[in-house]
Amino acid sequence: DQQVKQNSPSLSVQEGRISILNCDYTNSMFDYFLWYKKYPAEGPTFLISISSIKDKNEDGRFTVFLNKSAKHLSLHIVPSQPGDSAVYFCAASAGGTSYGKLTFGQGTILTVHP
Amino acid sequence: DGGITQSPKYLFRKEGQNVTLSCEQNLNHDAMYWYRQDPGQGLRLIYYSQIVNDFQKGDIAEGYSVSREKKESFPLTVTSAQKNPTAFYLCASSIDRVGANVLTFGAGSRLTVL
């Protein structure tokens, strides 16, 4: 039962354009969402997060949007840079005493071409 | 310089052997986690510990064991009962309190069964 899904295995964009990575979830108990970036043979690094009480959170070039009714979130990267090329995972937490337990999506490989 | 150290980075094991992956953190985090990553799949939770001398099974605990004798250390043993142990293993830690959903990951250990 995949509770967090990233339906696009890969995404290719041109440098300077917008990258949009999508994530869907099924568990209505999820109340906190995160995006992680991962390079090969390295651990994921935290990128940006959003609480379910918000619908948007920005940090520099990165913006996360949350649509609770659709159980959908997206990560926008503007402008995209070649160094952004990596695997992006979305993750969700159900709060309560399980706030540290994250459920991850399958990941989307982003390639930004110069 | 605080962080999480995983060792070894690469490990080869013959079928039927138990192996132990090390995870040490100097972030003074209360909670520690073990995740497994397989190609095309998201990270899946094996075990987690929110306090010393206590740990909980995650989604795929079968064939694995852990201990938490010290706050800084959370070793994972992959036993011969694990049917498909070849994977990339990631250790993580976090502050254990409400709202602390961000995990800090180590660089990972790649286990290959020959």
Side-chain angles (χ1 to χ4, degrees):
Chain A
D1 178 25
Q2 191 80 26
Q3 296 187 63
V4 178
K5 293 182 182 179
Q6 294 175 254
N7 292 316
S8 298
S10 62
L11 175 67
S12 181
V13 300
Q14 208 66 32
E15 182 179 5
R17 307 295 288 268
I18 184 171
S19 295
I20 300 177
L21 297 102
N22 294 302
C23 180
D24 297 296
Y25 62 96
T26 57
N27 189 342
S28 57
M29 298 299 292
F30 288 147
D31 62 359
Y32 199 84
F33 304 89
L34 308 91
W35 285 93
Y36 279 84
K37 175 180 178 179
K38 184 182 181 301
Y39 294 113
E42 293 185 12
T45 54
F46 171 70
L47 202 54
I48 192 170
S49 63
I50 188 167
S51 164
S52 60
I53 63 173
K54 296 184 175 181
D55 55 17
K56 178 182 175 181
N57 189 28
E58 284 183 83
D59 185 1
R61 297 186 296 114
F62 303 91
T63 303
V64 56
F65 296 91
L66 176 62
N67 182 334
K68 289 188 293 293
S69 60
K71 292 190 174 66
H72 177 84
L73 65 155
S74 61
L75 174 68
H76 292 208
I77 306 174
V78 184
S80 301
Q81 300 173 352
D84 296 329
S85 297
V87 180
Y88 289 78
F89 291 98
C90 69
S93 168
T97 58
S98 60
Y99 34 81
K101 286 178 57 184
L102 301 183
T103 301
F104 284 83
Q106 309 96 307
T108 297
I109 301 171
L110 173 65
T111 304
V112 180
H113 299 282
Chain B
D1 196 18
I4 298 178
T5 302
Q6 290 188 238
S7 63
K9 193 166 179 68
Y10 300 96
L11 185 60
F12 297 89
R13 186 195 97 176
K14 292 182 180 178
E15 280 194 42
Q17 288 181 336
N18 292 355
V19 293
T20 297
L21 307 180
S22 170
C23 178
E24 303 278 334
Q25 55 101 357
N26 60 3
L27 299 166
N28 199 32
H29 284 172
D30 302 296
M32 296 186 74
Y33 311 81
W34 275 104
Y35 283 87
R36 167 180 171 146
Q37 186 192 8
D38 295 282
Q41 296 195 43
L43 283 65
R44 292 181 291 167
L45 182 64
I46 304 172
Y47 267 100
Y48 66 103
S49 167
Q50 292 174 295
I51 195 168
V52 174
N53 292 323
D54 186 49
F55 47 83
Q56 309 296 327
K57 291 183 179 180
D59 301 317
I60 54 166
E62 186 175 350
Y64 299 97
S65 65
V66 293
S67 63
R68 187 86 187 277
E69 297 176 2
K70 299 186 300 180
K71 185 176 182 178
E72 304 79 21
S73 179
F74 192 41
L76 173 74
T77 297
V78 184
T79 75
S80 57
Q82 168 50 234
K83 300 301 180 195
N84 186 19
T86 295
F88 190 55
Y89 291 87
L90 288 156
C91 179
S93 69
S94 71
I95 299 170
D96 189 46
R97 59 171 171 79
V98 174
N101 308 79
V102 177
L103 304 186
T104 300
F105 282 88
S109 294
R110 180 163 298 281
L111 172 63
T112 302
V113 174
L114 304 173

